[in-house]
Amino acid sequence: MSHKDIELVYQNTAKVDEDELGSGKEKLREYIDYLGKVSKSMNYEVPESSINLSLDEKYKNALLQKIKDKKNKELKYVIVVGIGGSNLGTMSLYRALRGRLDVFLHENDPKMIFADTVSSSLIGQIVDFINNQVKNPEEILVNLVCKSGETTETIANFEVICSILKKRFGDTAKDRLVFTTAKGTKLWQLAEEKKIDVFEIPQKVSGRYSVLSPVGLFPLGLANFNIEKFLEGASEMVQKCLNHDTYQNPALTSAILTHSHYKQGIKIYNNFYFNPELKSLGKWYAQLMAESIGKEYDVNNQKVNAGITPIVSIGSTDLHPMAQLFFAGPRDKFTQFVYASQKVNSPEVPLELCLPGLVSDIGGKKLVDIMNAIFEGVKIAYYKNGLPYSEIVMHEITEDTLSQYLQLKMIETMFLARLLGVNAFDQPKVEDYKRETREILKKL
């Protein structure tokens, strides 16, 4: 399959002029230069260092070796135990590439199971699955992903799953565990004490920027995805996003567009994916934007309560319940459409219909052509209703294009935070609910 770059399209559809683009570019000039220096340092000493993950040959080789060491012919199931940044990126890539019927298809590839929240139903099903379906320990690997090593939901889920593995397989269960955490955490220390394989998350790389680290790429590699393609796509996008030219740098332009609309009072960002398999990608981006941009204080410690609310829409499904609101409701949303037409192997509606006379002009047409018509119709309706939008043209859904998108959005978010004057890498208020949870657990 030939390589295809994703593209940002916004001319005539976003409410921004050349002066605004030029002004935004000047505001970010020094920061782009700084990112260029970070990329040349090839270390992980600052929060922006996540951009180095796809450029680092030493890291790539260590990752591929670890995948090779832990993969075996009998491996059927990879359970990822994590939440938020430790899980969402991995899940989004898996579901985008394997689709919703992965359990029935791809029989030669290990299946991924995500223990991503404290749900009695979900974890109970995983326990039943391990008890009833896993015949020997070589069929399963459990990857505990927790940067801090102390996230309540993640550790609680892991303890339940680990206890079942021990009951089923005794001491050999330990060999089916891999921890992914920051070096020096209590979890890291326990892994070393118990001689459990451990993989390092660079301390300065925030969880929501870590999908291209071992957090995402190690379990995906076990499930037979092309890790080198993920890294190649991301690496190419990093180079693009270090360019000062708005026409060559999609992250720069997209950040300026979003900031410009924010200044106009448009504070809801609608991620509108026209491929249902990208739904989890929207959940990943929602965390990235919400946690990076939603801040009580700016970098000068002035109270600002800044934030842009991300929402996720799926085409054409969400047009039926939401189109009326989008077209007729408040003008408070900036939309970014994402679509890959996926023309290869598209089913075709037969000329001889089972239910003739109900819907005209569909006989003999491929489903992709019908979706293309819907997508183009939506964009025209947005334009005629005066609703601002931009578009990411993905062409196809592959490891390459998905990693381009992930890297674009991560660097775009760094730019957007800079324009808003907030810290893109901290999340001080997240601790509020965690602190209250710990207090309640003490009393139970």
Side-chain angles (χ1 to χ4, degrees):
M1 184 176 289
S2 62
H3 170 83
K4 291 187 178 179
D5 294 340
I6 66 173
E7 302 171 61
L8 173 69
V9 180
Y10 64 93
Q11 291 87 348
N12 303 318
T13 64
K15 295 178 180 178
V16 64
D17 56 30
E18 290 299 319
D19 290 341
E20 186 80 13
L21 286 172
S23 173
K25 179 176 71 173
E26 288 307 309
K27 288 177 183 175
L28 290 168
R29 180 174 293 279
E30 288 186 12
Y31 192 59
I32 293 172
D33 289 339
Y34 172 73
L35 290 183
K37 291 176 183 176
V38 171
S39 72
K40 288 183 174 66
S41 72
M42 208 47 66
N43 60 41
Y44 301 93
E45 295 179 357
V46 296
E48 289 87 352
S49 297
S50 61
I51 67 173
N52 290 338
L53 291 165
S54 64
L55 308 172
D56 187 341
E57 283 293 316
K58 184 178 177 182
Y59 157 70
K60 181 181 81 171
N61 293 334
L63 173 65
L64 293 174
Q65 186 61 51
K66 179 74 84 169
I67 291 167
K68 183 179 178 181
D69 291 345
K70 299 305 294 186
K71 190 186 286 189
N72 59 68
K73 291 181 180 178
E74 294 181 73
L75 183 64
K76 293 182 179 179
Y77 314 108
V78 179
I79 299 180
V80 177
V81 186
I83 194 169
S86 297
N87 169 83
L88 286 172
T90 317
M91 182 190 293
S92 71
L93 291 173
Y94 180 74
R95 291 183 174 170
L97 291 164
R98 291 277 163 86
R100 291 188 278 185
L101 298 180
D102 69 298
V103 69
F104 305 110
L105 305 171
H106 309 284
E107 62 181 65
N108 295 322
D109 296 313
K111 307 295 182 288
M112 295 183 72
I113 299 167
F114 297 92
D116 59 342
T117 189
V118 179
S119 161
S120 296
S121 173
L122 171 64
I123 305 305
Q125 288 177 342
I126 292 174
V127 168
D128 289 343
F129 173 79
I130 294 171
N131 277 327
N132 299 321
Q133 300 296 323
V134 180
K135 307 304 180 187
N136 69 73
E138 296 298 310
E139 292 181 351
I140 191 169
L141 186 139
V142 176
N143 184 198
L144 167 60
V145 186
C146 185
K147 185 182 176 185
S148 70
E150 300 179 48
T151 302
T152 300
E153 298 96 322
T154 301
I155 302 304
N157 284 341
F158 175 77
E159 291 291 356
V160 173
I161 292 169
C162 185
S163 69
I164 298 304
L165 287 175
K166 282 182 179 179
K167 288 177 184 176
R168 287 291 317 279
F169 305 119
D171 291 339
T172 59
K174 183 178 70 173
D175 299 330
R176 310 314 301 156
L177 306 176
V178 176
F179 295 170
T180 306
T181 187
K183 198 166 189 176
T185 62
K186 291 180 182 178
L187 181 60
W188 182 282
Q189 293 167 9
L190 281 169
E192 290 187 327
E193 287 173 20
K194 296 177 179 293
K195 294 183 169 47
I196 293 170
D197 266 343
V198 63
F199 222 148
E200 181 182 358
I201 307 172
Q203 184 64 248
K204 289 289 186 177
V205 175
S206 301
R208 58 189 177 275
Y209 294 90
S210 69
V211 60
L212 297 172
S213 78
V215 167
L217 298 191
F218 172 65
L220 288 165
L222 294 175
N224 291 344
F225 290 95
N226 190 328
I227 299 307
E228 293 189 74
K229 286 293 183 185
F230 281 130
L231 293 171
E232 286 170 14
S235 173
E236 180 179 313
M237 186 54 68
V238 169
Q239 300 304 331
K240 281 188 176 184
C241 295
L242 298 178
N243 197 311
H244 287 283
D245 187 344
T246 52
Y247 293 104
Q248 302 296 323
N249 186 335
L252 171 62
T253 303
S254 194
I256 296 170
L257 297 180
T258 306
H259 182 242
S260 176
H261 288 85
Y262 177 82
K263 290 190 296 182
Q264 297 172 48
I266 299 174
K267 299 184 179 181
I268 297 175
Y269 191 94
N270 186 10
N271 301 276
F272 211 141
Y273 299 92
F274 267 74
N275 303 86
E277 59 268 39
L278 300 183
K279 183 176 182 178
S280 292
L281 198 62
K283 296 292 288 182
W284 169 82
Y285 180 66
Q287 181 191 6
L288 179 67
M289 172 176 265
E291 214 166 60
S292 300
I293 303 302
K295 299 294 160 69
E296 186 175 10
Y297 295 93
D298 65 13
V299 291
N300 297 315
N301 208 33
Q302 299 295 310
K303 192 166 186 176
V304 290
N305 295 111
I308 298 172
T309 302
I311 61 174
V312 180
S313 302
I314 302 300
S316 63
T317 309
D318 288 339
L319 289 169
H320 291 259
M322 300 297 288
Q324 176 64 29
L325 172 67
F326 293 160
F327 293 136
R331 296 314 207 232
D332 56 359
K333 302 167 195 68
F334 179 51
T335 296
Q336 184 167 83
F337 294 110
V338 181
Y339 181 45
S341 59
Q342 300 288 78
K343 293 183 178 181
V344 178
N345 298 325
S346 177
E348 186 175 297
V349 178
L351 285 169
E352 189 175 327
L353 301 173
C354 296
L355 304 171
L358 293 182
V359 177
S360 59
D361 301 319
I362 62 171
K365 298 207 171 52
K366 291 184 176 182
L367 292 183
V368 67
D369 294 326
I370 295 172
M371 180 59 96
N372 285 343
I374 294 169
F375 181 54
E376 293 302 321
V378 169
K379 289 193 293 180
I380 292 169
Y382 260 70
Y383 183 78
K384 287 184 174 180
N385 280 280
L387 300 174
Y389 70 88
S390 64
E391 178 186 352
I392 295 288
V393 182
M394 196 171 276
H395 300 292
E396 56 198 13
I397 297 175
T398 64
E399 287 97 335
D400 182 6
T401 57
L402 287 169
S403 62
Q404 287 183 55
Y405 177 82
L406 292 169
Q407 191 65 80
L408 186 162
K409 300 307 284 186
M410 286 188 279
I411 298 178
E412 174 193 325
T413 301
M414 297 177 197
F415 289 154
L416 181 56
R418 201 78 175 182
L419 291 170
L420 288 165
V422 298
N423 186 337
F425 306 103
D426 68 352
Q427 56 279 339
K429 297 299 284 184
V430 173
E431 190 60 31
D432 286 8
Y433 94 87
K434 295 182 179 180
R435 183 171 52 250
E436 299 301 333
T437 298
R438 287 192 290 267
E439 289 302 314
I440 293 169
L441 285 173
K442 285 179 186 177
K443 298 172 184 176
L444 286 178

